[in-house]
């Protein structure tokens, strides 16, 4: 349920489970309460990478467009696409859910991998 919400515009859904055991009747009642949170769309991306890497290079590989509904699969696809370049030893693609507006700012932080050169 939470995964479906994250794929359909709700970046931070929560769920609470309540379990009550009725010993006399030998039954258990389980109640789930979902709170999807506010629907959000992708906002602008802040790119924090070392100066050696042009932020425009990262921007061209983003899988989302500003204003489209939030979808965690798109965030994961961007992370994978950037990691497959081989340029990063560590990479975080995360949402800044402290922003009150509907447009959810994204933050990309990367640490460059050691340079590798092959020459013939």
């Amino acid at each position: 349920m939470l995964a479906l919400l994250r794929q359909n515009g709700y970046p931070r859904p929560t769920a609470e489970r309540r379990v009550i055991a009725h010993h006399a009747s030998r039954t258990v009642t389980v109640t789930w309460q979902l709170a999807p949170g506010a629907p959000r769309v992708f906002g602008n991306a802040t790119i924090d990478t070392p100066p050696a890497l042009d932020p425009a290079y990262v921007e061209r590989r983003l899988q989302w467009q500003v204003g489209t509904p939030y979808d965690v699969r798109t965030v994961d696809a961007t992370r994978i696409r950037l990691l497959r370049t081989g340029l990063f030893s560590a990479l975080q693609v995360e949402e800044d859910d402290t922003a009150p507006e509907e447009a959810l700012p994204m933050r990309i932080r990367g640490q460059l991998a050691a340079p590798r050169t092959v020459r013939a």
Side-chain angles (χ1 to χ4, degrees):
M1 293 180 280
L2 295 177
L4 277 173
L5 287 168
R6 287 186 190 108
Q7 294 171 6
N8 290 287
Y10 298 89
R12 297 286 182 183
T14 59
E16 286 186 35
R17 180 182 66 181
R18 185 173 175 192
V19 179
I20 299 173
H22 306 280
H23 297 287
S25 63
R26 294 184 175 211
T27 60
V28 175
T29 304
V30 180
T31 306
W32 285 93
Q33 185 173 5
L34 291 176
R40 306 295 286 271
V41 296
F42 284 108
N44 292 322
T46 302
I47 300 169
D48 296 331
T49 57
L53 182 62
D54 182 10
Y57 177 84
V58 175
E59 287 175 5
R60 288 190 302 268
R61 282 150 183 79
L62 298 179
Q63 298 293 299
W64 65 79
Q65 294 179 357
V66 173
T68 58
Y70 179 87
D71 186 342
V72 72
R73 295 172 297 186
T74 307
V75 176
D76 292 340
T78 296
R79 183 180 300 109
I80 290 168
R81 186 172 188 190
L82 288 170
L83 284 172
R84 284 187 178 160
T85 65
L87 292 175
F88 298 97
S89 62
L91 184 69
Q92 292 178 325
V93 181
E94 56 196 10
E95 56 275 348
D96 178 10
D97 60 354
T98 61
E101 60 273 357
E102 182 185 359
L104 183 63
M106 301 297 291
R107 178 177 299 278
I108 300 169
R109 294 182 213 174
Q111 202 170 34
L112 291 180
R116 294 175 281 200
T117 304
V118 176
R119 294 185 181 163

